[in-house]
Amino acid sequence: MPHTRLAWPAFSALVAATLLWGGSFIAMKIAMRGYSPLLVVFCRMALASAVFGLLWRRMGGFRAARGDWPALLFMAFCEPCLYFVFEAKALTLTQASQAAMVTALLPLLTAVAAAIFLKERLEGRAVTGLVLAVAGVAVMSASGQSSEEAPRPVLGNFLEFLAMCCAVGYIVTAKRLAARHHPLYLTAVQSFTGTVFFAPVLLFAPMPQSFELAPTLAVVFLGLGVTFVAYGLYNYGVSRAPAAKAAAFINLIPVFACLLARFMLDEELAPSQWIGGGMALCGVGLSARPGRRQPSVAQDSRRE
């Protein structure tokens, strides 16, 4: 495999996606002040689906699937469906810092899966960068102070690990589908499937007695800024980068989440957390630094 670097558009899209995903932790915390967690998930999916409904015909509608429905549904079933089920439950059983340490395993899990299913071969520099990024996130997570209860941390961490396995299924499948489908189309399928999957929540979740402004705006941000924009950006990045390199950016999510919490929620960061964040940033830069030589999937297919 020749030495390649990410193009700047793909690099920027992946960074922007992880920044929005980092902000989603802040928004989710605010949204849950007024709504139940699963109701928030349903509303963010439904809101994004409403926007995609307006664009559905322009994206080709159902005809655009061209026999790929099993793979498309599997991708969406992995994430957002099962992913949010496992993660939402995990965060009620374990500390956020411990869950973040489990999340740091995603790039390595994806690298293994990509080597098996996509025949990708990681460069030595990329492996070093991934290990450095994982170590940095682990330092940040272990140094964080949490006031939340963790009644069953072992089970919670295991459920978070299952969520990461679902994320691997999503990334690897999206990488394959990106060769034939526009990133927005993949995101639309995720939103529609997630809306249908979480619709039964309306029968069981407690309905709010009032609609407070801050939680409602947080739900709007989660639906438009995260489910619509962030997933679209990440699917675009996945379509133009090796799956393992795209997954390396996941290590930026807890970094951005901690930084945003510091400035938006006035949460303090320990010096060791700043060191860990710097390690994660350096690791991502080492494993997936941008350049000019990364060809797009479309270009690769045209040359074949």
Side-chain angles (χ1 to χ4, degrees), residues 144-199:
Q145 299 296 322
S146 176
S147 60
E148 296 183 14
E149 294 294 329
R152 303 180 68 182
V154 175
L155 176 58
N157 292 339
F158 176 69
L159 292 176
E160 184 67 21
F161 173 77
L162 293 181
M164 294 306 102
C165 292
C166 294
V168 171
Y170 149 62
I171 293 173
V172 173
T173 308
K175 175 63 180 177
R176 283 184 167 180
L177 291 170
R180 299 184 297 278
H181 301 284
H182 193 280
L184 275 181
Y185 188 85
L186 300 180
T187 311
V189 172
Q190 287 180 283
S191 298
F192 292 146
T193 306
T195 301
V196 174
F197 183 84
F198 288 105

Side-chain angles (χ1 to χ4, degrees), residues 59-80:
M59 292 187 292
F62 294 106
R63 293 190 303 274
R66 292 195 298 271
D68 280 335
W69 276 115
L72 287 165
L73 292 178
F74 174 78
M75 175 195 70
F77 190 63
C78 287
E79 189 171 347

Side-chain angles (χ1 to χ4, degrees), residues 56-166:
W56 188 240
R57 280 193 169 184
R58 292 188 177 184
M59 292 187 292
F62 294 106
R63 293 190 303 274
R66 292 195 298 271
D68 280 335
W69 276 115
L72 287 165
L73 292 178
F74 174 78
M75 175 195 70
F77 190 63
C78 287
E79 189 171 347
C81 299
L82 289 182
Y83 178 90
F84 281 122
V85 170
F86 288 131
E87 185 165 80
K89 184 61 177 177
L91 291 175
T92 67
L93 300 174
T94 188
Q95 292 179 328
S97 59
Q98 294 185 40
M101 293 179 69
V102 179
T103 303
L105 295 174
L106 178 57
L108 296 181
L109 293 173
T110 303
V112 173
I116 296 173
F117 298 106
L118 301 179
K119 308 303 178 185
E120 291 185 3
R121 185 172 56 193
L122 283 177
E123 303 159 0
R125 188 193 71 230
V127 174
T128 303
L130 284 173
V131 173
L132 179 61
V134 170
V137 173
V139 169
M140 287 190 68
S141 301
S143 304
Q145 299 296 322
S146 176
S147 60
E148 296 183 14
E149 294 294 329
R152 303 180 68 182
V154 175
L155 176 58
N157 292 339
F158 176 69
L159 292 176
E160 184 67 21
F161 173 77
L162 293 181
M164 294 306 102
C165 292
C166 294

